[in-house]
C-alpha cells in the first residue's frame, strides 16, 4: 500500500503565495518522478510541474518564474511553492508519484487533491 498525502491548499488573494506539500508513504522501494497536476472546473487535468529523483524539473509554461517545485528524497516529499498567484491558478491540485513498490511493481500514484482558490 502506498499513500500520497497533500497539504497546504487554501484561499489566497491575487499576488499571494501558497506552499503545497505531498508526502509519500508505505511500501515504497524508490521514486522516479514526483509532480503536481491541477484540474479546474470544466477543464482537463494538466501537469503543473514535475521533478525527477535527480532534480531535473519541468514546468507548465504559464507558471514558469512563479512556481518552484522541490523535493526531499529522504522524506519522499515534494513541495510546490506558488508565488504571484493569479485567479486562473484556481484549481484542485493533485500530487503524483511514479514509483517502484517494495514488491517491484512500477506504478503511478495520486493524492486526494487539495483546493487552491485565488480570489479577492
Amino acid at each position: 500500500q502506498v499513500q500520497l498525502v497533500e497539504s497546504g491548499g487554501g484561499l489566497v488573494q491575487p499576488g499571494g503565495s501558497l506552499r503545497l506539500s505531498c508526502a509519500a508513504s508505505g511500501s515504497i522501494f524508490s521514486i522516479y518522478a514526483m509532480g503536481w497536476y491541477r484540474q479546474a472546473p470544466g477543464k482537463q487535468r494538466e501537469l503543473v510541474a514535475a521533478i525527477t529523483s535527480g532534480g531535473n524539473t519541468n514546468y507548465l509554461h504559464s507558471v514558469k518564474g512563479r512556481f518552484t517545485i522541490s523535493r526531499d528524497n529522504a522524506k519522499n516529499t515534494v513541495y510546490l511553492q506558488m508565488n504571484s498567484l493569479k485567479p486562473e491558478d484556481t484549481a484542485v491540485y493533485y500530487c503524483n508519484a511514479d514509483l517502484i513498490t517494495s514488491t517491484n511493481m512500477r506504478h503511478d500514484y495520486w493524492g486526494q487533491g487539495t483546493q487552491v482558490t485565488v480570489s479577492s
Side-chain angles (χ1 to χ4, degrees):
Q1 286 280 4
V2 174
Q3 283 189 318
L4 301 184
V5 179
E6 301 146 342
S7 60
L11 172 65
V12 64
Q13 292 187 340
S17 298
L18 283 175
R19 188 189 194 213
L20 305 182
S21 300
C22 172
S25 63
S27 303
I28 299 169
F29 177 71
S30 66
I31 301 178
Y32 287 117
M34 299 186 79
W36 291 94
Y37 289 71
R38 69 186 182 188
Q39 188 166 20
K43 295 188 176 181
Q44 288 190 331
R45 189 173 295 190
E46 62 182 356
L47 175 65
V48 177
I51 185 167
T52 67
S53 57
N56 293 318
T57 58
N58 182 37
Y59 292 95
L60 180 68
H61 179 74
S62 62
V63 308
K64 283 183 180 179
R66 300 188 297 121
F67 291 11
T68 302
I69 190 169
S70 60
R71 178 172 169 174
D72 185 333
N73 289 331
K75 295 181 179 180
N76 288 337
T77 299
V78 64
Y79 307 96
L80 186 67
Q81 178 66 44
M82 304 185 293
N83 298 329
S84 302
L85 282 159
K86 304 176 180 181
E88 50 264 42
D89 295 318
T90 295
V92 178
Y93 284 69
Y94 296 90
C95 175
N96 173 268
D98 175 12
L99 60 83
I100 295 181
T101 68
S102 58
T103 57
N104 205 32
M105 298 292 291
R106 184 169 181 175
H107 192 63
D108 264 343
Y109 288 88
W110 293 89
Q112 78 282 2
T114 185
Q115 177 70 46
V116 172
T117 302
V118 185
S119 175
S120 55

